[in-house]
């Protein structure tokens, strides 16, 4: 299966069965034990990034692109905190859900701005570009292309998260206790941290802050990099 197929699978999945599944995970309703664990892990990643951005005390002065925004888990609280947020996702259903959640939380307005767009066609320039829990859906070559393009959109900073490739997590994946089966999700790719760092450095960025989210079924490495 080639790279183009991965992109098509992701788009189709999050516009069909995947949308209902992840809408529940990213919501507040009842879910099973695994989904609840993933919900808590994802929220911890979001909270980590929010804490980094708020600590700089300049949110009202910057623009932020939330690339792969899903249902707005990061975009909405960023807008609440005063940032100008441009949110995009490959899934029309995810974007629509994000808009509805933003209206419920913030009322009618133009912040965040939601659009249906894949990462490769992302346009514009933003002070900060954030891409959380997206690279897990794409193989190494595609991840490198995505990071390079996201870097070209970032004026000052980029924040990415990915499933780290370690011996222990590779074993867990092989025995099926890390990622859900193929009937429930897209293919899951792990990435070596050294490779992600190398991609960022080659695009003129240097690592500033880093963190690791670890629950029973959710593992995500978070890196913040700024222009050199």
């Amino acid at each position: 299966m080639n790279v183009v197929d991965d992109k098509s699978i992701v788009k189709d999945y999050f516009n069909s069965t995947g949308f209902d599944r992840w809408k529940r995970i990213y919501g507040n309703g009842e879910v099973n034990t695994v989904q609840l664990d993933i919900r808590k892990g994802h929220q911890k990643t979001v909270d980590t990034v929010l804490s980094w951005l708020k600590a700089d005390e300049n949110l009202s002065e910057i623009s932020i692109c939330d690339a792969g925004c899903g249902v707005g888990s990061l975009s909405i609280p960023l807008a609440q905190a005063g940032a100008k947020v441009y949110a995009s996702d490959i899934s029309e259903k995810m974007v629509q859900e994000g808009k509805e959640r933003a209206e419920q939380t913030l009322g009618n307005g133009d912040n965040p701005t939601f659009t249906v767009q894949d990462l490769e066609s992302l346009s514009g320039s933003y002070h900060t570009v954030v891409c959380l829990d997206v690279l897990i859906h794409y193989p190494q070559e595609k991840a490198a292309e995505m990071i390079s393009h996201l870097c070209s959109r970032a004026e000052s900073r980029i924040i990415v998260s990915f499933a780290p490739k370690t011996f222990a997590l590779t074993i867990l994946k092989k025995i099926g206790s890390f990622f859900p089966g193929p009937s429930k999700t897209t293919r899951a790719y792990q990435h070596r941290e050294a490779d992600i760092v190398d991609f960022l450095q080659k695009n003129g960025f240097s690592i500033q802050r880093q963190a690791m989210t670890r629950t029973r079924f959710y593992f995500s490495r978070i890196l913040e990099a700024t222009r050199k």
Side-chain angles (χ1 to χ4, degrees):
M1 189 173 293
N2 59 35
V3 171
V4 175
D5 287 331
D6 280 298
K7 180 179 175 180
S8 298
I9 288 171
V10 170
K11 183 176 182 179
D12 292 343
Y13 174 71
F14 283 104
N15 276 320
S16 56
T17 58
F19 169 72
D20 293 328
R21 178 172 184 263
W22 288 97
K23 177 184 175 182
R24 291 196 304 273
I25 290 175
Y26 293 151
N28 297 311
E30 185 176 347
V31 289
N32 63 39
T33 301
V34 174
Q35 292 171 334
L36 179 60
D37 183 87
I38 294 172
R39 175 190 289 173
K40 291 178 178 178
H42 176 74
Q43 187 59 51
K44 186 176 180 181
T45 292
V46 169
D47 290 343
T48 296
V49 173
L50 281 171
S51 71
W52 287 353
L53 296 175
K54 288 180 178 179
D56 294 340
E57 299 183 344
N58 65 344
L59 278 179
S60 63
E61 304 169 10
I62 66 174
S63 60
I64 299 177
C65 174
D66 184 7
C69 65
V71 298
S73 302
L74 177 66
S75 296
I76 294 171
L78 279 176
Q80 284 180 304
K84 181 59 179 176
V85 184
Y86 300 86
S88 63
D89 199 277
I90 196 173
S91 166
E92 294 179 15
K93 285 193 172 183
M94 285 288 186
V95 167
Q96 184 58 41
E97 179 68 18
K99 288 181 179 179
E100 292 175 3
R101 293 190 183 192
E103 289 177 3
Q104 292 170 4
T105 304
L106 304 169
N108 294 325
D110 60 357
N111 189 37
T113 299
F114 286 92
T115 60
V116 179
Q117 200 170 35
D118 59 45
L119 296 186
E120 296 92 327
S121 60
L122 190 67
S123 59
S125 295
Y126 314 90
H127 176 278
T128 297
V129 173
V130 183
C131 184
L132 302 183
D133 293 351
V134 173
L135 298 180
I136 193 172
H137 301 298
Y138 298 96
Q140 183 85 348
E141 179 181 349
K142 192 63 175 176
E145 294 176 4
M146 287 180 166
I147 290 175
S148 178
H149 184 66
L150 292 175
C151 285
S152 73
R153 304 295 95 200
E155 299 169 353
S156 179
R157 172 174 53 193
I158 181 170
I159 299 174
V160 298
S161 74
F162 56 95
K165 187 176 182 62
T166 66
F167 178 75
L169 296 186
T170 299
I171 295 299
L172 283 175
K173 180 182 176 183
K174 286 183 178 179
I175 65 177
S177 62
F178 180 21
F179 297 110
S183 64
K184 296 182 181 179
T185 188
T186 60
R187 293 196 295 173
Y189 295 94
Q190 297 166 267
H191 298 283
R192 292 177 61 248
E193 182 172 347
D195 292 332
I196 301 298
V197 171
D198 184 57
F199 299 155
L200 292 168
Q201 291 178 338
K202 286 180 177 178
N203 284 279
F205 287 77
S206 57
I207 303 300
Q208 298 300 322
R209 289 179 280 204
Q210 50 194 301
M212 178 71 190
T213 303
R214 183 187 299 270
T215 66
R216 185 178 178 186
F217 297 100
Y218 176 97
F219 298 83
S220 185
R221 185 66 167 160
I222 317 165
L223 299 178
E224 175 198 56
T226 57
R227 281 202 178 275
K228 297 177 182 178

